[in-house]
């Protein structure tokens, strides 16, 4: 039997009879790489087992203070001992005792007086099984670690892809740099206020910067026009959600999938008057309903070449006023719950002041 991680396999023997304890310990020492740990008191044994994890436990049935059944039940009540093999040594051969012990988690039995070859064989077999169990568990842990590492690498690659695409969008429209930082942070805190799972909040913040990636496909004359767009220009501008979705769709990575969903749906409105599909209410994915608030609020409160910034309270009032029409009321409530965080994000990422003609607050 191989040594387990630099130490011998530990066999705890609980028996109040010194002579039986001595004989049993001597038998265990005959097993390669096995170390007996004798305990004359069940209470002493339970104290030791509370902070240690042996590889096999042998317990006498009849003992003072606690009998073998009591010790067995307390062993199985401890999570770190739940799968340790336990052998009960008893002179009682009744079926009733054995059934009760098995139902309480006993692994095997030895009958008193102990037959040395039988004890030796049973202990060896159980230790081999225990060794195999631990080796399989460690192999599973190694595999799990490798899967987690590979998953983390894929996540990192997806995050890098999203960041690089966002950077590409900035080259088309330099004003969007701080915008995507702010609106991603707004989206995260609104999601938190909504009560979303922390992992979902983090993924939403990572995917939100891709909301306007489709504007890469919009001509500069329209994208950078300092003023209101004509109806024909607006029709072209409104193609950017479909363009962004086409760029991102088809991925199997959850982050890219969510970015594609947000790119397509962030201009939908709760009352069904948005675009490109005219979705209504909860037909609109939750991530899109959250990003819609973050996107509009940031567009209203920051200066652009075509507009002056709105005061924060005025923009807040606009969001509230359009609750139920443009925006999901539940998401607006979440926005209001995290208002202090919204202000902190706005102050942490100030935009340069622009002067120019007033235009549309958002497109």
């Amino acid at each position: 039997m191989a040594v387990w991680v630099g130490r011998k396999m530990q066999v705890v023997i609980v028996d109040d009879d010194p002579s039986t304890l001595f004989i049993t310990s001597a038998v265990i020492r005959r097993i390669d790489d096995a170390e007996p740990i004798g305990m004359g008191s069940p209470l002493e044994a339970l104290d030791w087992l509370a902070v240690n994890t042996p590889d096999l436990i042998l317990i006498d049935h009849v003992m003072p203070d606690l009998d073998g059944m009591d010790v067995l039940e307390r062993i199985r009540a401890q999570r770190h001992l739940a799968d340790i093999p336990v052998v009960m040594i008893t002179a009682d051969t009744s079926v009733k005792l054995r059934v009760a012990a098995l139902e309480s988690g006993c692994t095997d039995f030895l009958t008193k007086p102990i037959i040395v070859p039988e004890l030796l064989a049973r202990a060896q077999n159980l230790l081999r099984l225990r060794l195999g169990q631990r080796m399989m568990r460690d192999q599973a842990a190694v595999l799990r670690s490798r899967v987690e590492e590979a998953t983390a690498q894929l996540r990192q690659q997806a995050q890098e892809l999203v960041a690089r695409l966002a950077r590409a969008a900035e080259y088309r429209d330099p004003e969007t740099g701080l915008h995507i930082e702010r609106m991603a942070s707004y989206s995260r805190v609104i999601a938190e206020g909504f009560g979303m799972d922390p992992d979902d909040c983090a993924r939403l913040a990572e995917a939100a910067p891709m909301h306007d990636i489709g504007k890469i496909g919009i001509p500069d004359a329209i994208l950078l026009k300092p003023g209101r767009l004509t109806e024909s220009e607006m029709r072209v501008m409104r193609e950017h959600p479909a363009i962004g979705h086409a760029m991102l769709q088809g991925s199997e990575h959850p982050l890219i999938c969510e970015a594609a969903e947000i790119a397509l749906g962030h201009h939908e409105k709760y009352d069904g008057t948005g675009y490109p599909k005219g979705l209504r209410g909860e037909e609109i994915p939750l991530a899109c309903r959250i990003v819609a608030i973050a996107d509009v609020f940031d567009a209203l409160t920051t200066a652009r070449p075509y507009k002056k910034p709105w005061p924060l309270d005025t923009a807040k009032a606009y969001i509230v006023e359009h609750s139920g029409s443009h925006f999901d009321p539940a998401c607006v409530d979440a926005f209001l719950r995290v208002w202090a965080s919204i202000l902190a994000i706005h102050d942490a990422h100030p935009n340069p002041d622009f002067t120019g003609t007033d235009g549309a607050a958002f497109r």
Side-chain angles (χ1 to χ4, degrees), residues 174-179 182 301-305 307-309 346 349-355:
E175 303 160 33
T176 63
L178 289 173
H179 167 62
R182 282 189 302 266
T301 56
T302 55
R304 302 288 176 85
K307 63 172 286 290
K308 295 178 180 179
H346 179 272
H349 301 283
N351 229 39
D353 289 332
F354 293 103
T355 57

Side-chain angles (χ1 to χ4, degrees), residues 48-54 75 77-84 130:
W48 188 90
L49 289 168
V51 293
N52 293 280
T53 307
I75 287 171
Q78 300 185 62
R79 186 174 181 180
H80 70 291
L81 302 174
D83 60 355
I84 305 301
R130 173 65 177 164

Side-chain angles (χ1 to χ4, degrees), residues 78 83 125 134 164 236 268 282 285 292 297 310 345 351:
Q78 300 185 62
D83 60 355
N125 288 339
R134 294 183 64 175
R164 289 181 181 276
V236 174
E268 299 288 355
E282 293 187 5
F297 179 79
W310 289 23
I345 292 167
N351 229 39

Side-chain angles (χ1 to χ4, degrees), residues 12-16 39-50 54 56-78 81-82 84-89 97 101 104-106:
V12 172
I13 307 163
V14 188
D15 198 314
D16 64 310
M39 303 280 185
S41 161
L43 296 176
E44 176 190 3
L46 289 171
D47 286 343
W48 188 90
L49 289 168
L56 175 62
I57 303 172
L58 307 177
I59 55 175
D60 187 23
H61 177 220
V62 180
M63 295 181 291
D65 300 321
L66 298 172
D67 65 16
M69 288 294 295
D70 294 327
V71 175
L72 175 62
E73 291 175 0
R74 296 193 186 193
I75 287 171
R76 291 307 187 215
Q78 300 185 62
L81 302 174
I84 305 301
V86 178
V87 178
M88 185 172 292
I89 303 173
L97 171 65
S104 297
C106 186

Side-chain angles (χ1 to χ4, degrees), residues 161-162 164-170 172 208-218 240-241 243-245 247-248 259-260 263 266:
L161 173 61
V162 166
R164 289 181 181 276
L165 286 171
R167 190 178 303 168
E170 290 180 41
R172 292 294 321 283
M210 290 294 93
H211 69 296
D212 272 343
I213 189 64
K215 288 184 177 179
I216 287 177
I218 303 302
H240 79 269
I243 295 172
H245 184 257
M247 293 173 61
L248 299 171
H266 69 285

Side-chain angles (χ1 to χ4, degrees), residues 83-85 128-138:
D83 60 355
I84 305 301
R128 287 193 187 99
L129 288 172
R130 173 65 177 164
L131 180 60
Q133 178 190 57
R134 294 183 64 175
M135 290 178 68
M136 289 180 64
R137 181 175 297 172
D138 276 13

